Amino acid sequence: MEFENVYFLGIGGIGMSALARYFLHEGKRVAGYDRTRTALTDALAAEGAAVCYDEAAECIPAPFRDRRTTVVVYTPAVPDDHAGLAWFRREGFEVVKRSQMLGLLSAGKYVQAVAGTHGKTTTSTLLAWLDRGTTGGGSAFLGGLSKNFGSNLVLGSGDRLTVEADEFDRSFLRLDPDTAVITSADPDHLDIYGTHEAMKEAFAQFIRQIRPGGYLVLKRGTDLRVDNPAITVYGYACDAPADFHAANVRLLDGGRYRYDIVVPDGVYRDCTLGVPGWVNVENSVAAVAALWCAARARGERPDGERLRAALASFEGVKRRFECYINTPRQVYMDDYAHHPRELAATLASVREMFPGRRITALFQPHLYTRTRDLCDGFAEALSLADEAVLLPIYPAREEPIPGVDSQMIARRLTVPWRIVEREALAETVAAMDTDVVISFGAGNIDACCAAIAEKLKERAGTTA
C-alpha cells in the first residue's frame, strides 16, 4: 500500500490516535475528523495532525482529497451514513478499518496480542513495559495512555510488537499473533454478536489464527474452544494452581503487593508491582506469561533482575485504577471499568486495600444495549460498594432505547443510591459524607475527575 496521506475518521479514539501517531512518526501527512475536541485531539494537533470537528466533506483538507495519494482509516464507531465516510467511498478512495491497518502494520513482526473483555489494556501495556525493561526494545499499539511511555504508541528496536486485540466488531480477527493472551470472554458487545455463544466463537477463531508454533496464554476457567493443534496452550491464574500463577502474596502499604511468579521452568521470587490492586497482580501474571513465551520462542528466558525492576517501575495506565487522593481520611480513584466483571474485580481490590472503610462508587453506564443486557450484573457489582451514585447512560454510537436508562440498574441495587447529572457530580460528591470514592465508566465521566479530586482535597483541607 503506497500513500503519502492518511485521513482518520474518529482520530480521537484511543486506538486510532496510536495509528495516527505512528504515521506522523513515519513522515506521512495526517489529518482526521472527530466529533468532540479532547485533550487527545489537542495533543495530535500539536504533534502535526490536522483535526476537524465537522463531518462535512467540504472540511476535508485539500491534500487529502486526492485518492491517488490518500488512504482513509475509519473506526467501526463511525456510522455508515457519516458524511465524510460516504464521500470518500463515493469518490473511490481506499477505505480500511483500523483493524485492517493494524493487521497490515503487524506483518513481519513477532506479534504479542492481548485480548479479552476486560484487563487487556493494563496487561498489554505492562507487557510492552516488561519487553522494554528486559530486552531494551519492542514496539506497541496500546488501548490506553501508558504513564511510563507517556503515549499509546511505543516505538522500539527489534521485531516484537505488542497489540491490544479488540473483540469489538470482530476487529481482533485481522491479527495472526505469535503469542496471544486471553484474559476473559464474558458477555459483552451483544449489539454486535447477538449472543454470548457467537462472541465466544469469535474468540475461538482468534485462537485458530495463532501462528503455527505459537502460544496461547488463557486465563484459568475461561470457557473457550481451543482447537488449534499447532500451538502450545498455557493457563494462568492469580493465586490458584496453573502453569503461570502468583504465590506467597503479601499486601504492602498503599495497596501494592509483593509475590512470587511461578512459571513452567521455575519461579521469579519477590516481585513487587508498581501499581496497587489485587486485579493488577493477575494482570502481571498474564504479562509475564506472554513475555516468557516470546523468550522461549527464541530459546531464551527473561532475566529475573530486569523483570523485577520493570514490574516495580510500572506506573500503570491513565484511567486504570488511577489514584488521585490517598490519605487516611480520604481516597479518590478512577477506573475505566464498564463491564460488571470489571467493576466487581476493582471493587474487590479496593475492599482488600482499604479494609473497614466506606466505599462510594460513581458509575456512568456506557451504551444503552450494554445497560439493557447486563443491568443485573451491574447492580450486583455496584452493590459491593456501600453506596452508589449513577450518571445517565453515555450513548456513544447508539440512539436511545425506550425504557433503558440508569434507573434499570438503580432499582436492582441493594445499597443506597442516587442518580445525578454529570455536571453536578463533583458538587454532589463533595457534599456527601465520603471516605473511599472510586469513579467508573468508559464515557466522559473522566472529565469530572480533576474537579472531584479538587473538591475532596478542599474539603479535607477545611476539616483536617
Side-chain angles (χ1 to χ4, degrees):
M1 186 184 294
E2 295 294 330
F3 51 86
E4 299 172 11
N5 310 316
V6 194
Y7 192 89
F8 290 89
L9 290 161
I11 194 170
I14 194 70
M16 292 283 277
S17 61
L19 284 175
R21 282 175 161 148
Y22 171 81
F23 284 114
L24 285 168
H25 178 268
E26 292 297 298
K28 305 293 186 182
R29 280 189 293 196
V30 172
Y33 157 86
D34 210 284
R35 183 172 59 180
T36 307
R37 180 176 178 175
T38 65
L40 195 45
T41 59
D42 285 346
L44 288 171
E47 292 166 25
V51 184
C52 69
Y53 305 95
D54 186 332
E55 70 174 72
E58 292 76 19
C59 297
I60 299 167
F64 299 84
R65 302 174 73 86
D66 184 349
R67 64 174 176 266
R68 297 168 302 175
T69 59
T70 301
V71 65
V72 179
V73 184
Y74 74 102
T75 170
V78 172
D80 285 337
D81 61 357
H82 182 280
L85 179 58
W87 184 85
F88 281 120
R89 284 174 168 163
R90 189 168 59 248
E91 295 298 317
F93 281 74
E94 184 167 12
V95 179
V96 300
K97 286 185 178 181
R98 183 191 72 87
S99 56
Q100 290 174 268
M101 182 60 75
L102 189 57
L104 290 170
L105 294 178
S106 68
K109 299 288 189 180
Y110 185 95
V111 178
Q112 305 171 140
V114 182
T117 46
H118 45 266
K120 58 182 174 286
T121 299
T122 298
T123 302
S124 57
T125 305
L126 177 53
L127 174 56
W129 183 243
L130 296 180
D131 224 353
R132 178 63 56 88
T134 58
T135 72
S139 300
F141 290 98
L142 304 173
L145 293 174
S146 163
K147 292 186 176 181
N148 289 96
F149 292 112
S151 180
N152 51 353
L153 172 68
V154 180
L155 298 171
S157 60
D159 67 342
R160 290 193 195 180
L161 175 66
T162 300
V163 296
E164 180 173 325
D166 190 1
E167 74 279 0
F168 173 69
D169 198 45
R170 297 177 173 84
S171 293
F172 60 171
L173 298 184
R174 299 285 182 176
L175 296 169
D176 297 300
D178 295 277
T179 294
V181 176
I182 298 180
T183 65
S184 51
D186 297 314
D188 201 4
H189 302 302
L190 298 185
D191 56 321
I192 300 295
Y193 290 101
T195 67
H196 187 200
E197 286 305 312
M199 191 199 78
K200 288 165 63 176
E201 174 53 35
F203 274 94
Q205 179 58 42
F206 176 66
I207 292 169
R208 294 183 199 112
Q209 292 177 198
I210 300 172
R211 293 168 182 164
Y215 300 88
L216 169 64
V217 178
L218 183 64
K219 183 180 175 182
R220 182 173 172 267
T222 303
D223 179 23
L224 290 175
R225 183 166 66 255
V226 179
D227 55 6
N228 184 342
I231 63 174
T232 301
V233 181
Y234 290 114
Y236 81 93
C238 195
D239 62 346
D243 298 307
F244 298 87
H245 65 273
N248 193 25
V249 183
R250 293 93 80 193
L251 178 63
L252 307 178
D253 291 340
R256 297 194 303 157
Y257 289 86
R258 181 165 296 140
Y259 48 99
D260 303 334
I261 299 180
V262 179
V263 300
D265 64 350
V267 182
Y268 292 103
R269 300 193 183 279
D270 293 324
C271 300
T272 304
L273 191 60
V275 293
W278 177 257
V279 67
N280 284 322
V281 174
E282 181 176 273
N283 292 333
S284 74
V285 173
V288 169
L291 185 81
W292 185 92
C293 289
R296 185 176 180 84
R298 289 168 163 78
E300 303 169 354
R301 186 178 194 269
D303 177 77
E305 288 304 314
R306 290 182 177 180
L307 176 63
R308 278 185 283 270
L311 286 166
S313 61
F314 182 59
E315 297 176 7
V317 186
K318 189 74 175 169
R319 293 219 65 217
R320 267 65 173 187
F321 222 79
E322 185 175 12
C323 191
Y324 283 77
I325 306 171
N326 187 359
T327 72
R329 303 188 67 171
Q330 183 72 67
V331 173
Y332 173 49
M333 308 176 78
D334 177 59
D335 194 83
Y336 189 73
H338 54 285
H339 186 280
R341 288 289 295 273
E342 295 173 329
L343 268 69
T346 301
L347 285 168
S349 291
V350 172
R351 184 70 72 186
E352 181 165 354
M353 289 167 59
F354 304 107
R357 296 181 68 172
R358 180 176 175 81
I359 299 173
T360 300
L362 319 177
F363 178 53
Q364 182 187 46
H366 184 263
L367 299 176
Y368 293 100
T369 52
R370 184 180 284 131
T371 303
R372 177 197 63 198
D373 296 336
L374 304 177
C375 63
D376 288 335
F378 282 125
E380 183 179 354
L382 289 168
S383 294
L384 297 174
D386 295 292
E387 61 182 338
V389 179
L390 278 73
L391 274 64
I393 296 171
Y394 183 81
R397 58 188 178 271
E398 294 184 338
E399 295 298 323
I401 298 174
V404 177
D405 56 23
S406 295
Q407 286 275 355
M408 289 186 70
I409 300 171
R411 288 194 299 267
R412 292 166 167 81
L413 291 171
T414 60
V415 297
W417 58 270
R418 66 182 79 184
I419 297 176
V420 302
E421 295 294 326
R422 186 175 66 93
E423 293 76 14
L425 183 60
E427 292 287 351
T428 299
V429 174
M432 296 170 65
D433 182 15
T434 62
D435 181 2
V436 177
V437 179
I438 180 162
S439 50
F440 296 103
N444 59 2
I445 191 173
D446 61 310
C448 303
C449 292
I452 292 171
E454 182 180 354
K455 293 288 185 183
L456 292 177
K457 287 176 181 177
E458 287 176 0
R459 189 181 69 184
T462 58
T463 59

